Amino acid sequence: MECFELPIYKKSQEIFNVLETITSLFPEDNEYLQSIKGNLLADIMLIQAKICGAEAVKLYDIKMENATIIRKAARDIFVGGNTLEYFGFSDSKYYNLVRNLIEEFRLLFIDWISSFNPKHYIVDNWGLFNPQGISPDYIQSDNELDFLDEDE
């Protein structure tokens, strides 16, 4: 399945469309709001790129690294509307649409990451994305890496 067909990607596209609509209402002469707009749109585009990046690889640690970046960007989007009214955006109430979509995205995210195969790993010597019970100094045997030769 291509990444564009995944429910999580489709939800990210919905978030992108809503963000694009809401941020198009930001006054052009408000530098702060224009900066927020850039950050919000960059975060959702990063999420989309990382979904596709995670789908393109077999390795558990790379998938989890992408998932971590996605989570951070999604959380940044969620809180990104907190100061809109303060900085002059009179329609900040519409940002609740984004927060609701992020919550829907979060639930899809949980399902999506549960599909990652933790047996498809190469030891992460930083120790951050190893499957449970695998230490950073664990020595993998050749047969543990056989999945690298498998076709999908």
Side-chain angles (χ1 to χ4, degrees):
M1 176 183 298
E2 286 197 40
C3 68
F4 308 114
E5 298 170 12
L6 294 169
I8 192 170
Y9 189 92
K10 289 178 180 178
K11 185 58 67 177
S12 74
Q13 187 60 47
E14 190 178 347
I15 295 166
F16 177 85
N17 293 340
V18 171
L19 278 172
E20 194 171 47
T21 299
I22 290 172
T23 59
S24 72
L25 302 172
F26 290 2
E28 290 290 330
D29 62 346
N30 187 318
E31 289 180 32
Y32 186 77
L33 289 175
Q34 289 302 314
S35 176
I36 291 174
K37 175 182 180 174
N39 291 339
L40 293 171
L41 294 176
D43 280 337
I44 192 60
M45 288 186 276
L46 177 64
I47 286 171
Q48 292 178 320
K50 293 302 179 179
I51 291 170
C52 291
E55 285 298 306
V57 297
K58 285 185 187 181
L59 293 175
Y60 179 79
D61 63 318
I62 301 300
K63 287 180 176 287
M64 289 304 290
E65 183 176 314
N66 282 306
T68 301
I69 294 167
I70 290 166
R71 185 186 87 158
K72 185 203 182 300
R75 290 171 62 158
D76 287 348
I77 291 170
F78 189 86
V79 300
N82 288 350
T83 60
L84 295 179
E85 187 174 352
Y86 178 79
F87 287 102
F89 183 54
S90 59
D91 292 320
S92 61
K93 62 186 175 285
Y94 294 120
Y95 204 80
N96 285 330
L97 294 169
V98 175
R99 289 191 178 104
N100 293 337
L101 290 170
I102 292 290
E103 177 58 18
E104 293 170 13
F105 180 88
R106 184 185 69 80
L107 297 174
L108 291 169
F109 179 85
I110 291 169
D111 289 341
W112 179 62
I113 63 169
S114 71
S115 73
F116 298 172
N117 187 341
K119 293 179 182 172
H120 288 178
Y121 73 95
I122 294 177
V123 174
D124 174 9
N125 61 6
W126 288 74
L128 191 57
F129 297 116
N130 287 325
Q132 189 171 6
I134 302 298
S135 68
D137 57 355
Y138 178 81
I139 306 296
Q140 283 180 286
S141 64
D142 288 342
N143 67 342
E144 288 178 294
L145 299 173
D146 287 346
F147 72 91
L148 292 171
D149 298 325
E150 296 172 3
D151 291 330
E152 290 297 320

